[in-house]
Amino acid sequence: MKLNRDACWLETQVALPGFDSFSINGKTPVTAVIREEMQHLFQGINETDKGKLSFELIEAQQLGKEGFQVAVSDEGKLNIQAQTEIGLLYGMFQVYEKLRCEGGIYQDFHSVPDQALRMINHWDNMDGSIERGYAGDSIFFKDGSFRRDFNLVRQYARLLASVGINGVSINNVNVHRLETRLITEEHLPEVKMINDIFASYGIKTFLSINFAAPKKIGGLDTADPLDSGVVAFWKETVANIYRVIPDFGGFVVKADSEGEPGPFAYGRGHDDGANLFGSILKEYGGLCIWRCFVYNCAQDWRDRSIDRARAAYDHFLPLDGKFEDNVVLQIKLGPLDFQVREPISPLFGALRNTNQIIEFQLTQEYTGQQKAIYYQVPVWKEALDFDTHHDYEPSVVKQLIKANSPVPEYSGICAVGVVGMDRNWTHHKLMQSNLYSYGWLAWNNQLTSELLAKRWTQLTFTSSSQKAQEKISELLGTSRETYALYNAPNGVGFMCRPNHHYGPDIDGYEYDRWGTYHFADRNGIGNDRTTQGTGFVEQYAPARCHEFNELTTCPDELLLWFHHVGYEHRLKNGKTLIQDIYDNHFEGVERVEAYQKTWSELKNEIAPADFKNVEELLKEQHRMAIEWRDQINTYFYRKSGIADNQGRKIYA
C-alpha cells in the first residue's frame, strides 16, 4: 500500500524500544494487514517465528469478538491477545497509540468496546458528488461509476480501523437513479472489491437502498412490502448479493422521508417495511438499519399546532417491539436536524424493545461546513451522557441504547461521513479531530472531550512543542461554544440559508414547508413546545418534561427550543434575552479573532501546508462570524426596538 495521502494521526513511525521482531500466525486478509501495518507504524521491526512482540489467539469470553488484552512479561516480551484476528488488529493500533502518547507499554492492559456497532454513513453519489460533503468529491465514485482507486479506499480503511470503526455504508441514503442499481449484478463485483478491503480491516460494508427498487429496476408496478412479487424481488436480490459478497453487512434504508419512497404509499407501517428486509437478510446474518428521520416535509407554517420535532416519536414509539431481531432503528441524536443546540431525541429511553443506534453528524452541515473550527465531541458527550430520568435503570443514553436493544450486538452509534478527495480528507486540517475522536468515543464512551482533543493534537502535530499542542487543544475545546455564540440563539435553531445551509438567513425557512420555525415577532421569539403549546415536551419522562416545561428550570441554552418568551425575559445569568443575544454575538466574533491570533503565533510550529490551510479557513470563519453577528443583532434590534446597553454597532 502506497501512503500518498495525509496519514493524519498515523503519520509518524514509532520506535518500540527493545523490540526488533514480531510474530503472528495465519495467512488471512486481516493478518496480512497486521503484517503490513507493523512495517508502516513501527521502526526497525521484522517478522520472525518467535518475536519479542507476539500476536496470539486465545479463548477469553470477556474480550468478545473485538476486544483484546496486552500482557507485558517479566522477560520484557509483549503479547497481544484476542479471541479474533480483528481483536489483534485493534490491539496493534492501540499499542501504537500508547507508545506515541505515553512513550512505552509499562503494564498489562485490556480494552473492549462499549458500543457494538460503530458506523459511518457516507452520503456519496455515483456522479462523484457528496450530499452535505465539504471535502471534495467522493473517494468511492466518479462520473457515474466507481472511482476504482482501491489504494485510496485502503488508506481510508486503516484510519477507520485505527480508531475502532467497524461499519460503513458507501452511498447516499437519498438513493438516486444510478445508485439504485448498486444492488444489481453489474455493480456487485466492484462493491465486493470495496467490501473486501474494508473487511480486511474489520469493517462491514453496507449499501443504502431505494425502497422503490422493485418498481425502478425490477419491472414491477408496486413496492408494497407485503406484495408477493416485491418479496420475491428482494429475496432474489439479497441472494445474489450474498452469493457475490458472503460477508456483506446489509442495508441502510431511508423511507417516507423528504420525498423518498416508503411503506406509507401502500398503507403499510414502517414495521412492515423494515421487517420485509429483516426477514430476508436474517438468513445471511445481515442487518436492516432503518432510519427514523421521518416527518411531514410539507408543513403549513400558518398552523402552529404542527411540530416536526414530534414526528420520530409519534411514528416509531407505537411500533416498539414489532421489529425483526435484525432490524435496527437509527435515531438522530436530536429531534430536528443536527442543530448547534438541540435536546436529545425523546425516543431514547422510550423505546424499550427495539434495537437502536444513535446517529451523529460528522460532516458539518449546519456548523460551518468544514470551513469553521467546530470540534463535535462536546455535542456527542452531551448526548451519550444524557440521563433520560425514566423510572428504570439504566436511564443514561450511552447505556440504554444497548440495554433496550433485544440483541445488544445490534446497537451502537453511527455518524454521517466527513471525508472526500481533498488530500487531507476533511478539507479543514483541524477537523480531522472529529473523525479520530468519533471512533475513539464510540469505542470508549467514558473518554472526555479534553483528552481526545489532546491525544489527536499530540498524534497529529508531532513536531510541535507541547505549548503549541496545548494551544491547539484549547482552541478545539472552546470551538463548539464559540460557534454557538454567534449562531442562532438559545436553541431556536436554523436561521440559515435554505438548501445549502451555509450562512445566516433568519427568515429563510420561516414561511416555508420544512417545519423549522422561530416565530419571532415584535414581542418575543421561540417555539412553544410546552404542554400548553405543541406538547412535544410530554414525549420525555415526567422529570425531564417538568424541567423543560417550566421557565424556571428549562436550561437557557434550550430556552427558545421549548418556549416563546419576551425579549426582556430574564435569563439565569441575570441578563435579558435580548442583551444576551447581543453580547453572545459580539463575543463570538471576538473569539474567532482570538483564534486567528493564536494560530498566527504557531506559524513556525506547524507544517507550511497545514498552517496555510487553517489560516485561510479562519479568515472565512471570521467573515462568516461577522455576518452572523450583524444579521442576528440587527434583526432582533429591529424586531424589539431595544438597544444594546453597551452601545456597540448594530445596523438599525
Side-chain angles (χ1 to χ4, degrees):
M1 172 176 51
K2 183 180 180 182
L3 299 176
N4 55 7
R5 291 285 291 275
D6 188 335
C8 306
W9 53 88
L10 302 179
E11 187 76 50
T12 304
Q13 275 196 328
V14 66
L16 192 57
F19 291 81
D20 58 1
S21 61
F22 73 95
S23 59
I24 184 171
N25 294 321
K27 295 185 178 180
T28 67
V30 178
T31 57
V33 163
I34 292 174
R35 288 184 172 95
E36 185 175 27
E37 292 295 345
M38 288 297 296
Q39 302 301 319
H40 283 308
L41 299 175
F42 298 93
Q43 295 175 3
I45 192 166
N46 298 298
E47 185 176 0
T48 64
D49 291 337
K50 294 182 179 180
K52 292 195 71 176
L53 186 156
S54 62
F55 294 86
E56 180 184 7
L57 292 175
I58 62 170
E59 287 293 326
Q61 295 300 314
Q62 72 275 14
L63 296 178
K65 296 179 180 179
E66 297 178 306
F68 65 88
Q69 60 191 27
V70 176
V72 183
S73 73
D74 293 338
E75 295 78 28
K77 291 187 176 181
L78 205 60
N79 192 9
I80 301 175
Q81 300 173 324
Q83 289 206 117
T84 66
E85 291 174 344
I86 300 302
L88 297 179
L89 179 69
Y90 289 142
M92 178 203 66
F93 278 121
Q94 291 198 30
V95 164
Y96 168 80
E97 182 155 322
K98 266 190 173 292
L99 288 169
R100 291 279 313 278
C101 292
E102 300 173 20
I105 310 293
Y106 304 109
Q107 59 185 10
D108 298 355
F109 73 97
H110 72 280
S111 186
V112 178
D114 285 336
Q115 302 294 338
L117 290 174
R118 306 176 303 279
M119 187 176 182
I120 292 180
N121 291 168
H122 290 274
W123 287 1
D124 294 30
N125 302 310
M126 291 188 72
D127 64 3
S129 66
I130 303 174
E131 185 171 336
R132 310 308 180 191
Y134 312 109
D137 288 344
S138 169
I139 68 170
F140 302 117
F141 306 114
K142 180 181 180 181
D143 298 334
S145 187
F146 287 80
R147 185 174 290 276
R148 297 187 63 82
D149 188 342
F150 298 118
N151 182 57
L152 180 61
V153 175
R154 186 173 294 276
Q155 290 178 73
Y156 179 50
R158 73 190 294 259
L159 290 176
L160 298 187
S162 72
V163 293
I165 300 299
N166 65 2
V168 295
S169 57
I170 63 173
N171 65 300
N172 192 356
V173 293
N174 297 311
V175 186
H176 306 304
R177 180 180 61 85
L178 291 176
E179 296 78 25
T180 299
R181 303 194 63 82
L182 284 172
I183 57 177
T184 65
E185 301 252 7
E186 64 181 301
H187 291 308
L188 289 179
E190 286 177 292
V191 175
K192 176 176 170 54
M193 292 179 192
I194 291 173
N195 175 91
D196 291 352
I197 292 170
F198 280 128
S200 68
Y201 282 87
I203 301 166
K204 285 278 189 182
T205 299
F206 293 73
L207 289 174
S208 295
I209 61 165
N210 188 333
F211 186 87
K215 294 175 65 176
K216 299 293 184 182
I217 62 174
L220 302 180
D221 60 3
T222 182
D224 184 345
L226 300 189
D227 180 85
S228 60
V230 171
V231 174
F233 168 85
W234 285 112
K235 282 185 175 180
E236 181 180 359
T237 297
V238 170
N240 284 338
I241 292 173
Y242 279 92
R243 177 179 51 80
V244 178
I245 314 171
D247 56 348
F248 178 68
F251 295 151
V252 176
V253 189
K254 177 180 179 180
D256 289 317
S257 178
E258 299 182 325
E260 292 301 300
F264 285 169
Y266 306 97
R268 311 302 186 188
H270 278 249
D271 52 338
D272 297 319
N275 287 339
L276 162 68
F277 299 111
S279 61
I280 296 171
L281 288 163
K282 186 181 296 186
E283 176 184 347
Y284 305 93
L287 299 182
C288 171
I289 299 177
W290 192 269
R291 299 183 82 239
C292 293
F293 190 52
V294 177
Y295 68 94
N296 174 16
C297 64
Q299 183 171 326
D300 183 355
W301 60 267
R302 301 166 184 84
D303 185 353
R304 287 205 185 190
S305 68
I306 302 172
D307 187 359
R308 168 177 161 180
R310 295 184 55 98
Y313 184 102
D314 287 344
H315 284 307
F316 287 95
L317 187 65
L319 303 179
D320 191 22
K322 295 184 178 181
F323 294 95
E324 293 279 352
D325 61 11
N326 64 328
V327 170
V328 185
L329 295 189
Q330 180 170 313
I331 309 163
K332 288 194 177 189
L333 69 88
L336 204 57
D337 198 7
F338 299 123
Q339 298 304 290
V340 180
R341 299 284 190 193
E342 194 172 347
I344 304 306
S345 170
L347 272 176
F348 295 113
L351 286 175
R352 298 290 301 277
N353 300 289
T354 303
N355 299 324
Q356 54 199 269
I357 53 180
I358 186 170
E359 179 184 338
F360 299 156
Q361 190 177 49
L362 270 167
T363 190
Q364 294 171 236
E365 178 181 355
Y366 296 99
T367 53
Q369 301 191 355
Q370 279 122 258
K371 300 179 183 72
I373 303 169
Y374 189 87
Y375 179 56
Q376 302 199 63
V377 183
V379 182
W380 304 332
K381 287 289 292 182
E382 285 176 10
L384 292 173
D385 293 344
F386 183 78
D387 191 334
T388 64
H389 289 320
H390 280 280
D391 59 356
Y392 63 84
E393 295 294 336
S395 59
V396 175
V397 169
K398 63 188 175 188
Q399 298 164 339
L400 64 79
I401 53 179
K402 180 185 296 185
N404 290 355
S405 295
V407 185
E409 66 185 274
Y410 298 157
S411 66
I413 307 177
C414 73
V416 181
V418 69
V419 305
M421 284 298 293
D422 284 6
R423 191 183 181 282
N424 70 2
W425 301 98
T426 57
H427 188 65
H428 197 306
K429 177 69 177 180
L430 297 189
M431 294 302 88
Q432 292 175 1
S433 61
N434 285 325
L435 182 59
Y436 167 86
S437 299
Y438 166 67
W440 260 109
L441 185 62
W443 181 283
N444 182 351
N445 300 167
Q446 316 313 313
L447 294 172
T448 66
S449 301
E450 294 78 14
L451 178 62
L452 288 168
K454 180 180 178 181
R455 273 195 195 172
W456 176 80
T457 303
Q458 185 178 354
L459 292 165
T460 302
F461 297 103
T462 308
S463 60
S464 302
S465 66
Q466 183 176 344
K467 185 175 181 181
Q469 292 175 4
E470 289 172 354
K471 287 183 177 181
I472 296 170
S473 297
E474 182 179 354
L475 190 155
L476 290 173
T478 59
S479 61
R480 185 273 185 107
E481 183 63 27
T482 295
Y483 197 90
L485 285 169
Y486 67 75
N487 204 257
N490 298 78
V492 73
F494 279 80
M495 295 188 172
C496 57
R497 290 279 182 188
N499 300 317
H500 59 72
H501 299 158
Y502 188 67
D505 188 344
I506 300 170
D507 285 334
Y509 280 106
E510 193 62 14
Y511 306 101
D512 211 334
R513 63 189 180 95
W514 294 97
T516 54
Y517 312 124
H518 56 71
F519 296 122
D521 56 33
R522 64 184 180 182
N523 299 315
I525 178 177
N527 200 325
D528 184 358
R529 293 186 165 104
T530 68
T531 55
Q532 302 303 309
T534 70
F536 165 78
V537 72
E538 296 174 304
Q539 294 183 343
Y540 292 93
R544 286 296 188 188
C545 174
H546 178 79
E547 175 191 355
F548 295 143
N549 193 64
E550 300 300 319
L551 274 174
T552 55
T553 53
C554 184
D556 282 343
E557 62 267 23
L558 294 175
L559 176 69
L560 303 183
W561 172 276
F562 287 104
H563 297 270
H564 186 91
V565 300
Y567 294 113
E568 296 190 274
H569 170 78
R570 190 71 59 177
L571 302 178
K572 295 177 180 62
N573 62 13
K575 298 179 184 180
T576 62
L577 173 62
I578 190 65
Q579 191 58 47
D580 199 57
I581 290 173
Y582 295 153
D583 289 350
N584 288 346
H585 286 78
F586 281 110
E587 182 184 348
V589 173
E590 290 164 4
R591 283 191 178 208
V592 177
E593 290 168 351
Y595 290 170
Q596 290 180 293
K597 182 175 185 296
T598 295
W599 192 253
S600 69
E601 294 168 353
L602 300 178
K603 184 170 185 178
N604 296 325
E605 300 260 16
I606 307 295
D610 292 337
F611 179 83
K612 183 177 180 181
N613 168 260
V614 177
E615 182 183 48
E616 291 300 315
L617 289 171
L618 274 170
K619 290 178 184 177
E620 170 60 14
Q621 183 173 359
H622 183 238
R623 182 189 74 82
M624 192 55 68
I626 290 172
E627 200 65 27
W628 274 100
R629 178 197 67 190
D630 291 348
Q631 288 199 32
I632 293 282
N633 285 349
T634 298
Y635 180 92
F636 286 109
Y637 174 68
R638 290 176 179 178
K639 282 283 186 183
S640 69
I642 301 171
D644 169 33
N645 65 19
Q646 301 296 309
R648 293 165 292 196
K649 180 66 175 178
I650 295 178
Y651 296 85

